[in-house]
Amino acid sequence: MGMKDNRVLDLTHLSWTLSRNSSGTAGSFLKSYEESEGMKYYYKMSNFDTIRGVYGHECINEIVAGNIADALNISHLQYDLLHANVKVNDKIYETWLTRSSDFKKSGEHKLTFETYYEVKRNSGEDVWSFIVRDGLQEYFYQIFLLDYLICNRDRHGANIEVLEKKGVYRLAPVFDNGLSLLFSCYDDGEAMEKFDFLKDGPVNNYVGSISLGENLRKIPKLIIEQIKTVTLDEKVLFKGMEQLRNSEEIAAVPMQYWTCIKKMVEERWNNIEKIFD
């Protein structure tokens, strides 16, 4: 959803827990949650260690990924981008982070897609055969498309969830898209400019292969034809972050980030048509 406003919020009351970065790169993510007026909110920062503090830009990537998902009409978890002071190990950091609300409805329980598959599959049935039998292809076609466009390296089995209530199951909206785009460049603008914008893998996928391109090829060409009219220009990509993008006082990413993201998505978007020619 983008930035709520340009204030530096006081979130020093939140308690943070470490979550290991599952992409295989160094660092951890700090996560927190709170309940307010009957709502449960989840907070997540970018990479953290005790030497560098908070670094990288996964929270900005979440907003870009959400904007692309909106343009493609893909159901996804809505993230707010916040600028706040937080306290970790009795030290205060001024940083950027995302906030999202609980996507579970009353009475629903969540389980990872990996667990859902293990419980529901037939003997000897592989993951994709199970998906086809369960009629879930459209959902995964959307994931394959989004993940290709944002070069998502971390769609592991716990990053896809299923919600259950009284024996009725539904797939959760797409979430956790931060380890994508230029995340491995962290705060190095020159590395962003040198990044391979058409990078294909290897990626940490539970469904499909370690190749984003191979997964993309599973999508029926008719679906690809239907999205050709979608526009992914900078107004779409950076919706809700106009002030952040144009301000030197509240810079959250290296200045190269905006130009490189625009070019990266443009190249990957154009490459989809070449793949399906």
Side-chain angles (χ1 to χ4, degrees):
M1 294 178 68
M3 290 177 62
K4 297 299 289 181
D5 53 47
N6 61 356
R7 294 178 296 158
V8 180
L9 304 176
D10 182 4
L11 296 179
T12 54
H13 63 283
L14 294 175
S15 298
W16 298 90
T17 56
L18 284 173
S19 173
R20 290 297 303 170
N21 182 337
S22 60
S23 71
T25 57
S28 298
F29 296 121
L30 287 170
K31 295 184 177 182
S32 185
Y33 73 91
E34 66 176 345
E35 294 189 24
S36 176
E37 298 180 353
M39 293 287 292
K40 193 170 187 177
Y41 296 98
Y42 295 89
Y43 298 86
K44 186 170 70 171
M45 282 190 269
S46 296
N47 269 276
F48 174 85
D49 66 38
T50 54
I51 304 299
R52 287 173 286 186
V54 185
Y55 63 99
H57 51 271
E58 287 77 17
C59 56
I60 310 295
N61 291 349
E62 285 284 11
I63 306 303
V64 174
N67 288 339
I68 293 173
D70 281 338
L72 295 170
N73 200 29
I74 295 173
S75 175
H76 67 97
L77 181 60
Q78 298 285 341
Y79 291 91
D80 293 324
L81 182 64
L82 306 179
H83 190 194
N85 287 321
V86 299
K87 183 184 287 186
V88 183
N89 298 332
D90 294 323
K91 184 175 181 180
I92 293 177
Y93 299 89
E94 181 179 328
T95 189
W96 296 86
L97 63 158
T98 57
R99 180 182 66 190
S100 59
S101 56
D102 193 349
F103 51 62
K104 297 193 306 296
K105 296 178 182 178
S106 177
E108 284 187 328
H109 306 277
K110 68 179 182 178
L111 61 160
T112 68
F113 184 78
E114 186 174 3
T115 299
Y116 177 69
Y117 160 71
E118 292 295 339
V119 170
K120 294 289 187 177
R121 71 182 177 91
N122 291 331
S123 178
E125 188 174 37
D126 64 42
V127 176
W128 188 251
S129 297
F130 168 75
I131 287 169
V132 172
R133 179 172 63 82
D134 213 32
L136 306 178
Q137 305 98 300
E138 295 291 332
Y139 179 84
F140 285 96
Y141 292 155
Q142 291 183 335
I143 284 181
F144 291 158
L145 176 59
L146 178 63
D147 283 354
Y148 179 81
L149 284 168
I150 66 174
C151 193
N152 189 355
R153 277 83 112 194
D154 203 37
R155 191 68 68 191
H156 57 77
N159 269 356
I160 306 166
E161 288 187 346
V162 178
L163 304 168
E164 180 273 335
K165 182 179 181 179
K166 296 181 178 179
V168 177
Y169 297 87
R170 70 180 179 97
L171 287 159
V174 179
F175 67 96
D176 217 351
N177 308 300
L179 294 188
S180 62
L181 298 165
L182 303 169
F183 90 86
S184 57
C185 299
Y186 301 112
D187 300 316
D188 188 339
E190 291 185 5
M192 292 178 179
E193 292 177 324
K194 296 175 182 177
F195 190 81
D196 176 9
F197 294 154
L198 291 178
K199 182 178 174 65
D200 184 55
V203 296
N204 182 21
N205 282 334
Y206 180 70
V207 177
S209 72
I210 63 172
S211 163
L212 294 165
E214 286 301 313
N215 292 346
L216 188 72
R217 290 182 181 91
K218 284 185 176 288
I219 303 174
K221 191 171 183 179
L222 178 61
I223 294 177
I224 300 299
E225 292 289 332
Q226 292 171 344
I227 65 165
K228 280 187 174 180
T229 58
V230 173
T231 299
L232 294 178
D233 59 18
E234 57 190 55
K235 290 182 179 179
V236 171
L237 297 177
F238 307 132
K239 182 180 178 181
M241 296 189 289
E242 293 83 2
Q243 184 179 10
L244 176 59
R245 184 185 175 199
N246 296 320
S247 174
E248 294 182 1
E249 296 180 0
I250 56 172
V253 291
M255 62 180 181
Q256 295 96 327
Y257 176 88
W258 309 104
T259 301
C260 289
I261 291 294
K262 178 178 178 293
K263 186 176 180 182
M264 181 177 186
V265 174
E266 182 179 77
E267 287 190 13
R268 298 182 77 84
W269 182 251
N270 291 337
N271 199 52
I272 289 176
E273 190 166 351
K274 294 178 184 177
I275 288 174
F276 281 86
D277 275 347

